[in-house]
Structures are given as structure tokens and as C-alpha cells.
Amino acid sequence: MAHIHQYQNDVRLAGVTVDRNRGLQEPFGQWGAPQREEESEMFSFTDPKNGCKALCDRGGAVFSFNPDGTPGGHYLGGLNSHPEWNAGDGRANGPVVAFEPFDDGNTALSAYVVITRDAGGAFHAYQFPSSGALAPPGR
């Protein structure tokens, strides 16, 4: 006879513990649709000044789009184009945890800030001015 014992969200059945929380994330069974692991978390904002959209992945790569969603918009740079900052997923200053526009006085478009958090819990802010001064040449 099998005995079932439950402690919080763990279910123990015949000596084997099953974490029901983990079951909710498994890509099979009754727990829902599979999650695509190859997609990384993206942070986004819409520029309040011109409607352009921007995305940033955990590594600090920034992708820019026009208001209609087509590639374009204003690209001001990303952490991936500044390896000397040692920031982004897998780097000393940690992965991106926030990506937001800010007003640096340009009336046509916003600047943006990329914030990372290192393993020790410290935050690091990287500001990209609306002038595009930190964008790599040719972009």
C-alpha cells in the first residue's frame, strides 16, 4: 500500500518526493504548454517622445524598432558593444535587470539606461545619451 504525505507543495509517494511547483514548469503532461528555453528574457520600452520601441536582452544587446514595429528607430548602443564595462549576462557586473528611457534634454528622442545587478547584489547603471555618442560606428 502506497502512502501519500504532503508537505507544502511537495508530494511524497512511495518514498519519492515530487515538487508540484516544478511540475507546473515541465513541458509535458497536464501542467500546461511547453516553455521555449531558447528565448531569453527581454526588457522593453516605448519612447514617449516619438513612439519608437526598444528591446534589451539580459546580455545587454539592444534592438530598435520604428513605431510601426519595423526594424529601425534610434539605436544608442548596448552593453554588448562595450565589453570593457564587463556587464551583461555571464559577466562580472551581472545580467540586465532593467531597461528604461530617460530625458536628457533632446526634444525628439529619449536617452536610455541599462541597469545590471552583480552576484553580490550591487546595481550598475549604464546610460546611453540620445546623441548616440556610445553607439558603435556604422549603426
Side-chain angles (χ1 to χ4, degrees), residues 47-60:
D47 190 325
K49 296 182 180 183
N50 61 23
C52 288
K53 297 164 183 24
L55 297 172
C56 182
D57 67 18
R58 289 177 50 86

Side-chain angles (χ1 to χ4, degrees), residues 64-114:
S64 303
F65 301 89
N66 294 308
D68 66 0
T70 58
H74 59 279
Y75 175 76
L76 306 177
L79 297 180
N80 58 329
S81 57
H82 292 280
E84 70 276 13
W85 292 343
N86 206 17
D89 207 11
R91 310 288 305 258
N93 285 346
V96 174
V97 294
F99 177 57
E100 295 291 330
F102 72 93
D103 189 350
D104 67 352
N106 186 328
T107 58
L109 55 100
S110 298
Y112 51 76
V113 61
V114 178

Side-chain angles (χ1 to χ4, degrees), residues 1 11 14 18 40-41 47 49 63 65 69 77-78 84 101 115 122 128 130 132-134:
M1 172 187 259
V11 176
V18 177
S40 64
E41 183 176 354
D47 190 325
K49 296 182 180 183
F63 307 90
F65 301 89
E84 70 276 13
I115 301 172
F128 293 83
S130 61
L134 294 177

